[in-house]
Each structure stands twice: as structure tokens, then as C-alpha cells.
Amino acid sequence: MDFNRSFTSNLGSATSAKSQQSMFKALRRLHGQNLESRGLHDMTEAFQSFVTRARFFSIGKLRRTWSHSAAEFMKYRRLLPMLLADGEAFDGGETDDFDASIAFQHTSRDDRKIVVSNISSRVTQSQLQSFFSQYGKVTSCILPREEKKTSIFGTLPKHSKNCGTATITFKKAEHAERAKNASPEELKFYDQLMVVSAYVSKKRGGKGLVLSDDVGSREDTPLSRASSTQSLASGSEQLFNLGSIPEKVLKRVISFLPIHETIRIERVNKKFMEQSIKSWELINRLVLARETVFSKQRPMRTNHLKAILTRAGAHLRSLDMSGVVHLLDDRRAVKMIATCCPNLVELDISGTHAQAEALEELGESLTHLKQLSYRGMETTGDKAFYFLLKNCGHSLKFADLRNSKRLHGRSFRLFGSQLESLYLDGSSKIDEMAFEDLCTSCGGLKELRINECYKITDENLSMIARRMEDLSILTLCGDGFKNLTSAGLIHISHMKNITELALDYNTLVNDELLISISAGLPLLSSLSLANAGDDASITAEGVSAIKNLSGLTQLDVSSLAAVNSAVMTQLGALKKLEIIQLRNCTYLGDEGVRTMLQMPNLRHTDLSGSILVSNDSIQEFIKAFPSGPKLPPITLVVGGTAADASKLSVRGSRVVVDFSDYSTIVAMQTSQTSGSKFVVGSVSDCEDNSDDDFEVLTAQRSFYIDAVCGEEDSPITDDGKLAEWAEKEARSLGLIKD
């Protein structure tokens, strides 16, 4: 289409002098209104430029080419229906060809562009332009690069990598089509296949489509300033109008946004602000540690907490402030929770220090509180805990006070009969009187975790066995119980409803206790004895007695010297066993592993550090559990054994072999003064024991290498002789002491 001819025919021959004058009057009126009210756009310079060019070209016979003034003309034409005096009509059809020509120009420009992705990081802009020149002349090549980083050590590369995506413009549209139709092999550059796709403008067609009107939907009646609802944005093409979203749907969508985005979206408009505020009604649980907006560089402050709680506090049932990086005014923060969150049922304020008066106010306001966590408060004294529990302790069902180093337990008398779970791990100063108060006031307790509560006595344990008849979970791990004896531990066997028992690292465990537990706890389903007792107190007789616990599903006997192939033969009677931990069982051989083939419900077996286990038994274990539909996988950990990964085959089996060695990741500090802590999945940081740990690890590694790679004139095949040889080697290396 000849642009000049079409435009002249539409505006030159079809436009009368009267319409020309009315157009100029409308434009002058628009210009005057903008000067008076400083409206949406200050068009002073643009208007003057337009008038000058219009006069120069003679408005009656416009002979225009594609220029900046033509775009300005179309911008002002958009406002004419609102500004024509006396309801005077404006026929937008006079410039439809002009709109179409603008759209055509932008469409043709986009057809000459392509987007190239998956570009190698070694490609430069000039190389990429040269590469695509084979399809036609390239007029533009834009290849953005990553932001350049600097280092004071000068170790970073001098030039930053490209972003992997480029925009290329050809001189002709057919050249771009040729590049789009290229085969993948032709687009291979630096051993990487590039992907070519069509270019899509962010404006969805350019100014032509943005500024054009829908002629078919235009009414025949004249539009005046009083009746028009159009604006500069009314003609913009939008893929999706957010204003048309139903309020209920919008509220639901906003409720899934992060906290800071939910607050910021209030600034969009009135509708978004109302629905953003209402969306907090759908949020009844808030975990602040999950909000990525709070970090070491931007910690949470008091004003942030206030902004959140004033919106969500009335609807919250659960609030978790543990783990969030903050610089809070602790007194004000606790008061905000007390004021804004009266309906809380679960509260975790671990890491938030506050004075006793503020904690008392918090306890008074939370009348519905059922679960309270205030752990890791190493500097918080007994007074603060007392005032916190003074008004809400009687209604609590769950309390987590772990690692409260200065807690003596005077506040335990404030707990009520509704308390079901109490975590006191690491609170080493809880004394005998506190356990007596606990037994008196919390007879319905079902879960008690008192690891490293070293001041417990035999009388306390006896009272727990008599008063807490519903107790089902008990953990008593640690190696510093000075006021407790092996005879006192026998009281555990009188707790008939116990289903989960953990005695890891407890040096008071012996054969008598294991025999009593096996006979007196018929409901026991989980038993953990890792590193318990010593080689003299726990023998094969005590470990073999565990076979009487027919309902056992989880068993951990790691690092027990009494565990050998003969004992595992006895434990083969545990048909319901699902998880078994056998780490560092240095006397366990292949025969013991074969015994586990009789356990049909196994899901996880850990043999880390059991150095006498070889490929023969492991391969038999793998073959014993073939794969099948709806059969769960079985994990077998063989790190630190004599297994050779290159000789194992798992084809057709549902056994997943893990070659990681977890035998050294369970450690407990023996020094009570340094704050002993039971750690799973990490190595002890105690400097005093670091040398000893290294020597033991070196000895174990030497023992393992000698067992696997040592040259023997006559290999030992008998299990008895093998056990004697292993014991002799262990004594020579210092692993076993007389």
C-alpha cells in the first residue's frame, strides 16, 4: 500500500474545512487544559512541534511520511472525542489507514528479528553476528552480558559471560525466516545447539496496535467530554485485565503471595488494597523463617513485625518466630504479639529474649494457647519462665524448653494435667525437685524427652514410672547421669505403655536392663541403644534378649561390641523390623547380614563402618529383594565396609545401595562443662577431643585397610577364627581396652 497516496486520499479529499477547524480547536483546547491543570501529560513541546509541522505540510492536504510528528498526531487524535465542543462528532475512520500503516511498519520490523537462546558462554557478540550472516545481512545483534563482578584477590575473570540469549535483526524478513527454518545441526556453535525462535514485541505489535481503535465496536452516536469514559490507557491492548478478576478469586490469589508482596500490593489501587487486607483472613499459620526477604543483609526489624501482625494477628492460630534473622526490640516484639494475636493456639518465640514483665503480659493475653516453644534460651533465667507460664501453663498440651541452660524447673508446678508432651533436652540444671513437681502436676504426660538432664535421680525415675501411667515416649540419652544408677534404670521396665525408648550414650545400660525391658515392655516399637553401656556391661546375652520384643519396628544397636553374627541370628526373629542401624559393629560378619534376609518388612539397613561385611553377603541381600509392582525400595548403606562397588549388581532388585559412610556423624561431647550436645549429622566441634577423634578415625581406617588389603598366607574362612583375629587386631590398635 502506498502510504502517501492512501493518507492523502483519506484526509485530503474527504476532510472538509469545517472539520479541519474543529480539529485545531480541539487540539488548542487540549493544550490549554494541560497548561492549566498539568494533566496526565505535559504536551507543550510536543504540541508546538505538531502545530509547526502541520502548518508546514498544510493540514488540508497532508503529504506525510513516517515521522515523529505522525506519531504525535495519532496521540492527540485519541483525545479528540472527549474534547469536541457541542457534542460535535469526530469520524475516526478518517485516519484508519494511518493506524494500519503504523501497525504494518511495526509488524514488518518484528518479522526481521529473531531470538537466539542456548548460546555458549564463550561466544562473543561479533562471533554471533558473523555466524548468522550466512542467512542474510545482519543489521543488529544484541547479546547482553552478566553483571561484572569484582574481587579484591583478582581471581575472577576479566570478562563476564554472556546471558545465553540474543536478539538479532536482519535487513529482510526472508533472511529471518531462513534462520528460523535452519536445522539443529546448522545452528551448532561451540559444540552447543542454539535455538532460534520468533521475536515477540513486548508491546504486542507496537504503537500501531496500541493506538488503533476498534471501529466495529464504536457507536454511531457522537461522543462528548461529558459522556465519554475513555482515557489514554483505555485503548491499550491488554492480554489480561486484572481489574476484571472476581474479588473472592483475587483474595485467594493474594493469600499465596509472600508476606512483603502481600503488603506491597496494597498500593496498586483501592480494590487490591481491600482484597489484600481481607486475604489475611485465609492465613492462620505464619512461619517467619520461610520469608526469604529477611536475611543477614536485611534482618527483620520491629516495624516489619508490627506491619505483619497488625494485618494478620487477629486471624493467626499459629506463629513461629524461630530461626528468623532479626534485630527486634524484644520487649516491644513480645508486647505486639500479646496485643495483636489474642487467638494464638501455637506459639514459637525461640530466640526472642524479653523481660519477665513482658512475658507475663504475653501469657495473660494468650488464653487459648496449647503449644509453646521457647528453646535455646541459654541466658534466660527461671524467673522469666515462671512469669511466662504463670497464666497459660495450666492449659498447655505441648511445651518445648530444650537447651535452657539456666532453667531449674521451679515453674513446672504451673503445668496442668492437660500437658501431653514436654521436651527438656539439654536443660542440665533441672533438679530433683522439678521432676517431683512434674510428676505431681502432669500425670497425663505421654511424651517426655530428658536427654542430658543429668540431675535426675533414681527416686525421680521411680516416681515417673508410678505417676505417669500414660507415658509412651521416653528418651534418656547422655553420659553424665551422676545421680542415677543402673538399678534405677530398671524402673523403665515398669512403664508398660512405652512404645519408643532411646538410651543412646547412656553408660548405665547393662544386660540386666535389656533383659528387663524385653520382658516388661510388650508394646515397644522403637529402641535406640547407640553407643550405650560398654563392652563389659552389654554382652551378647543382653542384646539377644531383644528378640522377645516381637512388635519392634526400629532398632539401633550401633557401636555395640556385642553385636556379631551369632547375635544377629537371634535377632532374625524380629519379623516386623523395618529400620535397623548397625553402624560400627566391627564384629558383624557376612553371616549376620544373611540373617536379615528373613526380615520381609525391611526398609532401611545401615552397615556403615562394619568392616567385616564383604561383597558376598551384600550381593545376596540385593538378590533377596527383587523388584515388583507396588513394592517399596530398600536402602542399604555399605560405606566403610569391605564392599567393592564395581563388583555389585543391583539389576532387577529394589535395593538401593548407598556407599556413604555415616559411621562417624553421630557424636556426643563428653565434657559437661562445655555444654554437651547430642548431635546427629555433624561432627563434634570440641577442641579438646579433636586429637582423640582423629586418632580413633586413623586407627579405624588402618584397621579397615589391613582387613581388606592385607596379605595372608591362608585366608580365614571360619567365623570363630575370624572373630578371634578381629578381636586381636582391635586390641593391638587400641579399639578395645581390657
Side-chain angles (χ1 to χ4, degrees):
M1 181 184 65
D2 189 349
F3 178 82
N4 293 332
R5 184 180 304 171
S6 63
F7 192 84
T8 303
S9 62
N10 278 280
L11 289 183
S13 61
T15 304
S16 64
K18 185 177 179 180
S19 62
Q20 298 172 14
Q21 293 176 359
S22 62
M23 184 184 299
F24 265 104
K25 288 180 181 180
L27 292 175
R28 287 197 182 100
R29 190 180 300 112
L30 172 64
H31 177 54
Q33 287 181 356
N34 276 275
L35 290 178
E36 290 176 4
S37 60
R38 305 290 292 183
L40 293 177
H41 301 282
D42 181 10
M43 295 178 286
T44 304
E45 294 182 5
F47 178 80
Q48 294 294 344
S49 175
F50 165 72
V51 171
T52 301
R53 296 179 182 181
R55 286 176 178 174
F56 177 79
F57 284 107
S58 176
I59 192 99
K61 298 179 180 179
L62 286 178
R63 295 183 298 274
R64 290 174 173 268
T65 58
W66 173 248
S67 63
H68 175 67
S69 60
E72 292 170 1
F73 174 79
M74 293 310 302
K75 179 171 64 176
Y76 296 125
R77 187 187 64 81
R78 166 66 57 193
L79 298 175
L80 290 180
M82 294 185 293
L83 301 172
L84 290 175
D86 303 324
E88 192 173 319
F90 173 73
D91 186 7
E94 297 176 357
T95 55
D96 285 343
D97 288 340
F98 185 69
D99 294 339
S101 63
I102 294 175
F104 175 76
Q105 292 286 343
H106 278 273
T107 304
S108 61
R109 181 183 301 176
D110 293 344
D111 290 342
R112 295 187 287 112
K113 294 182 179 181
I114 61 172
V115 177
V116 184
S117 57
N118 197 32
I119 302 173
S120 173
S121 58
R122 296 181 293 171
V123 175
T124 63
Q125 183 170 318
S126 58
Q127 290 175 337
L128 188 64
Q129 181 172 350
S130 177
F131 179 85
F132 279 93
S133 296
Q134 60 181 317
Y135 304 108
K137 185 175 181 180
V138 177
T139 59
S140 173
C141 179
I142 301 175
L143 180 60
R145 290 191 170 273
E146 296 178 352
E147 184 179 353
K148 188 174 181 181
K149 300 178 181 180
T150 58
S151 172
I152 60 174
F153 303 105
T155 56
L156 295 176
K158 296 181 179 180
H159 304 287
S160 57
K161 298 180 180 179
N162 63 64
C163 294
T165 304
T167 303
I168 297 177
T169 305
F170 290 93
K171 187 175 182 180
K172 296 181 179 180
E174 50 266 25
H175 298 164
E177 287 297 329
R178 196 181 304 165
K180 294 176 190 176
N181 298 329
S183 63
E185 289 299 327
E186 294 178 357
L187 296 175
K188 191 173 184 180
F189 198 29
Y190 276 104
D191 296 331
Q192 194 162 330
L193 295 178
M194 296 183 291
V195 179
V196 176
S197 57
Y199 175 82
V200 179
S201 174
K202 293 182 180 179
K203 298 181 179 180
R204 294 288 180 182
K207 295 182 180 178
L209 290 179
V210 170
L211 295 174
S212 62
D213 287 330
D214 187 0
V215 181
S217 62
R218 190 181 291 128
E219 298 181 358
D220 296 334
T221 57
L223 295 175
S224 65
R225 178 171 57 182
S227 62
S228 176
T229 57
Q230 293 183 346
S231 65
L232 280 173
S234 64
S236 300
E237 183 186 48
Q238 298 181 358
L239 292 179
F240 185 75
N241 186 9
L242 293 177
S244 63
I245 302 178
E247 293 183 353
K248 292 184 179 180
V249 176
L250 182 60
K251 182 173 71 172
R252 176 70 64 176
V253 171
I254 294 176
S255 66
F256 287 95
L257 295 177
I259 289 177
H260 66 287
E261 295 293 346
T262 305
I263 296 176
R264 290 174 62 184
I265 206 171
E266 297 175 3
R267 309 172 188 174
V268 175
N269 54 36
K270 183 179 179 181
K271 179 180 179 180
F272 275 63
M273 180 184 68
E274 293 175 350
Q275 299 309 315
S276 176
I277 294 174
K278 291 181 181 179
S279 68
W280 294 101
E281 300 173 359
L282 304 175
I283 301 176
N284 54 19
R285 176 176 174 79
L286 196 58
V287 182
L288 295 179
R290 296 177 183 173
E291 299 300 321
T292 56
V293 68
F294 301 126
S295 59
K296 292 182 179 179
Q297 291 74 25
R298 192 168 184 259
M300 185 176 70
R301 300 181 182 273
T302 307
N303 60 332
H304 297 149
L305 183 63
K306 182 179 180 181
I308 295 171
L309 295 185
T310 51
R311 292 168 170 83
H315 313 290
L316 286 180
R317 298 295 180 271
S318 175
L319 176 62
D320 187 351
M321 296 180 58
S322 63
V324 64
V325 182
H326 68 83
L327 290 176
L328 295 174
D329 182 344
D330 296 329
R331 181 183 180 88
R332 289 180 58 193
V334 172
K335 285 191 173 183
M336 284 178 194
I337 298 173
T339 305
C340 302
C341 308
N343 301 318
L344 282 179
V345 178
E346 302 177 12
L347 177 62
D348 189 342
I349 52 173
S350 303
T352 305
H353 299 268
Q355 297 180 357
E357 293 77 8
L359 292 174
E360 182 180 14
E361 183 180 350
L362 178 64
E364 289 177 354
S365 62
L366 303 180
T367 56
H368 306 287
L369 197 64
K370 299 298 181 183
Q371 298 185 18
L372 175 64
S373 298
Y374 200 38
R375 58 185 178 273
M377 310 307 294
E378 297 185 357
T379 60
T380 302
D382 230 23
K383 180 181 178 181
F385 284 100
Y386 182 87
F387 279 98
L388 176 62
L389 299 173
K390 182 179 179 181
N391 296 288
C392 65
H394 64 280
S395 62
L396 290 178
K397 291 186 177 181
F398 173 87
D400 186 355
L401 306 177
R402 287 176 288 179
N403 294 317
S404 301
K405 302 298 183 183
R406 298 180 60 186
L407 176 63
H408 293 271
R410 299 288 79 80
S411 57
F412 286 178
R413 66 188 67 178
L414 301 175
F415 287 125
S417 58
Q418 298 183 24
L419 189 66
E420 297 179 355
S421 301
L422 180 61
Y423 293 178
L424 300 172
D425 302 340
S427 302
S428 55
K429 289 191 176 182
I430 297 178
D431 53 23
E432 178 181 359
M433 187 182 300
F435 285 108
E436 293 177 357
D437 294 338
L438 197 61
C439 293
T440 303
S441 57
C442 305
L445 203 64
K446 297 180 180 180
E447 182 177 5
L448 180 61
R449 299 184 182 273
I450 48 177
N451 302 327
E452 303 177 42
C453 294
Y454 292 131
K455 292 189 176 182
I456 190 173
T457 63
D458 292 347
E459 292 75 13
N460 293 147
L461 207 55
S462 174
M463 194 173 183
I464 290 173
R466 288 182 283 108
R467 298 298 298 269
M468 299 181 182
E469 297 180 355
D470 297 331
L471 193 65
S472 59
I473 299 177
L474 176 65
T475 63
L476 195 62
C477 305
D479 58 352
F481 295 100
K482 297 181 179 179
N483 301 325
L484 196 62
T485 63
S486 299
L489 282 182
I490 300 295
H491 294 296
I492 296 177
S493 62
H494 301 152
M495 304 176 187
K496 302 297 183 181
N497 293 319
I498 288 289
T499 59
E500 181 179 335
L501 178 63
L503 299 172
D504 300 341
Y505 290 91
N506 196 320
T507 56
L508 302 175
V509 178
N510 54 20
D511 287 345
E512 183 181 1
L513 174 64
L514 296 180
I515 295 173
S516 300
I517 289 175
S518 302
L521 302 180
L523 302 179
L524 194 64
S525 62
S526 176
L527 178 61
S528 182
L529 301 170
N531 296 276
D534 53 42
D535 296 348
S537 61
I538 299 180
T539 64
E541 181 184 1
V543 179
S544 299
I546 299 176
K547 67 181 180 180
N548 298 321
L549 299 171
S550 57
L552 206 63
T553 59
Q554 299 182 21
L555 177 63
D556 188 352
V557 289
S558 301
S559 301
L560 297 187
V563 178
N564 52 33
S565 298
V567 170
M568 283 303 301
T569 303
Q570 298 290 328
L571 297 181
L574 301 174
K575 303 299 182 182
K576 295 183 179 180
L577 204 61
E578 298 179 2
I579 299 175
I580 183 168
Q581 303 274 8
L582 298 167
R583 299 173 180 172
N584 282 328
C585 293
T586 54
Y587 298 109
L588 178 64
D590 289 339
E591 289 299 324
V593 176
R594 293 187 179 98
T595 304
M596 290 187 287
L597 304 182
Q598 307 171 10
M599 303 176 182
N601 297 317
L602 272 182
R603 292 187 293 107
H604 182 89
T605 303
D606 192 345
L607 301 173
S608 301
S610 299
I611 58 178
L612 300 182
V613 177
S614 66
N615 269 25
D616 297 337
S617 59
I618 294 176
Q619 190 63 62
E620 291 183 28
F621 186 95
I622 294 173
K623 291 181 179 180
F625 298 95
S627 59
K630 297 184 180 180
L631 291 178
I634 300 174
T635 304
L636 178 63
V637 184
V638 296
T641 65
D644 186 357
S646 62
K647 298 181 180 179
L648 292 177
S649 175
V650 295
R651 180 176 298 177
S653 174
R654 56 192 174 102
V655 176
V656 179
V657 182
D658 185 356
F659 292 94
S660 303
D661 188 356
Y662 302 115
S663 59
T664 59
I665 66 174
V666 179
M668 172 175 282
Q669 299 177 5
T670 57
S671 175
Q672 183 177 347
T673 58
S674 62
S676 57
K677 182 181 296 185
F678 182 68
V679 182
V680 178
S682 60
V683 182
S684 173
D685 293 331
C686 181
E687 296 181 358
D688 298 336
N689 298 331
S690 59
D691 293 338
D692 296 338
D693 293 341
F694 179 76
E695 291 177 2
V696 171
L697 182 61
T698 304
Q700 290 178 346
R701 182 175 298 174
S702 176
F703 190 18
Y704 168 72
I705 293 174
D706 290 343
V708 176
C709 306
E711 296 181 358
E712 296 287 342
D713 294 337
S714 57
I716 301 176
T717 57
D718 183 72
D719 283 348
K721 294 182 179 179
L722 187 62
E724 293 177 1
W725 169 81
E727 182 177 359
K728 178 181 177 181
E729 291 293 331
R731 291 184 185 279
S732 63
L733 292 171
L735 297 177
I736 300 178
K737 297 181 180 179
D738 297 329

